Amino acid sequence: MKLKLLQVGEKVLREAARPLTREEILSDATQDLICSMQETLRDAPGVGLAAPQIGLPVQLAIIEDLPEYWRELSETDLATRERRAVPFHVIVNPRITHQSDDPIEFFEGCLSLAGFTASVCRSREVAVECLNEKGEARTIRASGWYARILQHEIDHLNGTLYVDRMDSRTFMSLENYKRYWKQSPKKAN
Ligand code: ZN
């Protein structure tokens, strides 16, 4: 079932989500939720979706990055972003345990701020401890675009949006980004 994507201004997007118990993760309700979130993310399409974005204040997010989303990106764009395919997976109760001290800036967007983008500084590498959809403990070590997606989704679970971290002078409509900035260096002025 496709779910409604909430837009910025909804209270739930600004609240810290609560952790899920192992029993809750394994429940039919949560397993159905994961399926519906996957359908919603692919339909959007997007590379990450956190439960608060569909109105649920729980610490669950899904991530999937597919080559079919990169059609408009050049080899150079892909290389500088270190963007590689990430298979569909679920993160529950995630915690960032390591962030590299080498922030890197790229334009990013969010399904809850439809039609806009901005340049955001994020760590190039992270380590995340979380549970998967079976309630099993996982440690994820990620770099490049995948590390950015993880930081963006985990921010959602803490009520933080990219607009809290962006270089505000680079905030723009996606239309204008495509018109003026797509071929330009990663940073607007
Ligand atoms: Zn988002």
Side-chain angles (χ1 to χ4, degrees):
M1 189 180 64
K2 217 181 98 184
L3 305 163
K4 189 182 171 201
L5 287 167
L6 299 187
Q7 294 301 304
V8 63
E10 297 283 353
K11 217 173 135 207
V12 66
L13 289 171
R14 288 315 209 163
E15 290 168 347
R18 71 168 179 85
L20 286 172
T21 64
R22 193 168 175 278
E23 288 67 32
E24 284 177 306
I25 296 167
L26 297 173
S27 71
D28 289 347
T30 302
Q31 297 300 315
D32 288 349
L33 170 72
I34 291 168
C35 285
S36 295
M37 285 177 70
Q38 182 176 29
E39 192 183 332
T40 307
L41 181 64
R42 285 186 174 168
D43 179 73
V47 295
L49 181 65
Q53 293 181 274
I54 47 106
L56 288 177
V58 296
Q59 290 182 27
L60 183 150
I62 61 170
I63 292 173
E64 181 180 53
D65 198 359
L66 301 171
E68 64 194 75
Y69 300 154
W70 314 338
R71 285 195 196 112
E72 290 180 23
L73 291 177
S74 67
E75 287 294 320
T76 313
D77 287 339
L78 288 173
T80 54
R81 284 163 181 73
E82 298 177 85
R83 192 157 173 185
R84 299 172 283 260
V86 180
F88 177 83
H89 67 102
V90 180
I91 58 172
V92 180
N93 305 343
R95 196 164 56 88
I96 294 178
T97 53
H98 168 75
Q99 276 183 281
S100 60
D101 193 19
D102 53 356
I104 183 157
E105 213 171 326
F106 284 112
F107 277 91
E108 66 179 61
C110 177
L111 296 173
S112 294
L113 284 127
F116 291 94
T117 184
S119 186
V120 182
C121 221
R122 297 201 186 265
S123 296
R124 201 183 72 78
E125 290 179 330
V126 290
V128 171
E129 283 180 15
C130 63
L131 301 176
N132 67 9
E133 73 285 354
K134 294 174 185 158
E136 300 161 340
R138 287 283 177 267
T139 300
I140 299 170
R141 287 184 182 81
S143 61
W145 205 253
Y146 181 27
R148 177 170 293 264
I149 300 169
L150 281 164
Q151 291 168 79
H152 180 115
E153 298 312 321
I154 293 169
D155 269 353
H156 272 302
L157 304 180
N158 292 307
T160 297
L161 299 171
Y162 80 73
V163 289
D164 304 329
R165 301 190 186 276
M166 70 182 179
D167 173 351
S168 59
R169 289 183 63 86
T170 67
F171 186 62
M172 63 181 74
S173 68
L174 264 177
E175 203 182 342
N176 280 338
Y177 172 71
K178 285 176 185 160
R179 187 180 297 160
Y180 302 119
W181 290 100
K182 215 172 132 194
Q183 309 304 331
S184 302
K186 60 195 175 196
K187 199 175 181 311
N189 289 303

